[in-house]
Amino acid sequence: EAEVAQSPRYKITEKSQAVAFWCDPISGHATLYWYRQILGQGPELLVQFQDESVVDDSQLPKDRFSAERLKGVDSTLKIQPAELGDSAMYLCASSPVRNEQYFGPGTRLTVT
Amino acid sequence: KNEVEQSPQNLTAQEGEFITINCSYSVGISALHWLQQHPGGGIVSLFMLSSGKKKHGRLIATINIQEKHSSLHITASHPRDSAVYICAVRPNTDKLIFGTGTRLQVFP
């Protein structure tokens, strides 16, 4: 069964360092989402792609976060520089157009 | 006030018990999702509802659009059902609005 892949699964980094996460959506899914989930809270959308275009990045802290999906397939989310408050689970999801979202296993980030 | 409210926040049960988790929302929606998140973090979609009721194995999800309320029921609960259950609604966009989740622990 096709799955959304994410790597790494866990990342520990020091504050002020750069960190990057990778997501490979289910083949054929045009829409890709990056979410941040702080412990004890529901996921919060950071950025949504339709193919290679950003549809919604209104909640992305653009001074330190960036996201790209250059060929409309896999995607990278970067944080530079990381801050203590960025410690969270970063989830990627993909979906066919306007349909159910399929989530990846997530990357748990700890900033020390 | 959150647009999606879940209750209870935490729930413990003995194996075999019938469990209900509730979700209320305040916006117009095109669909409601029930998701399951295990301690490792990955999220699995259980149901997507726009009306009525759906059943999958021991799980049942219902929605009342007029009352803006949905319930997730687990019959004959089992320790492997222990997880966080998240309600998410989709207004008339692609964006999901998530509840904060209900943490369920089922003890043998």
Side-chain angles (χ1 to χ4, degrees), chain A residues 59-71:
Chain A
Q59 300 301 312
L60 188 72
K62 298 182 186 63
D63 56 336
R64 298 185 300 108
F65 285 64
S66 64
E68 59 183 18
R69 193 184 184 198
L70 292 175
K71 296 181 181 178

Side-chain angles (χ1 to χ4, degrees), chain A residues 35 37 42-43 98-100, chain B residues 37 43 45 90 93-94 98-99:
Chain A
Y35 293 94
Q37 185 180 24
R98 299 221 68 188
N99 208 325
E100 191 166 347
Chain B
Q37 186 171 33
I43 290 178
S45 179
R90 181 188 295 147
T93 65
D94 292 334
F98 294 82

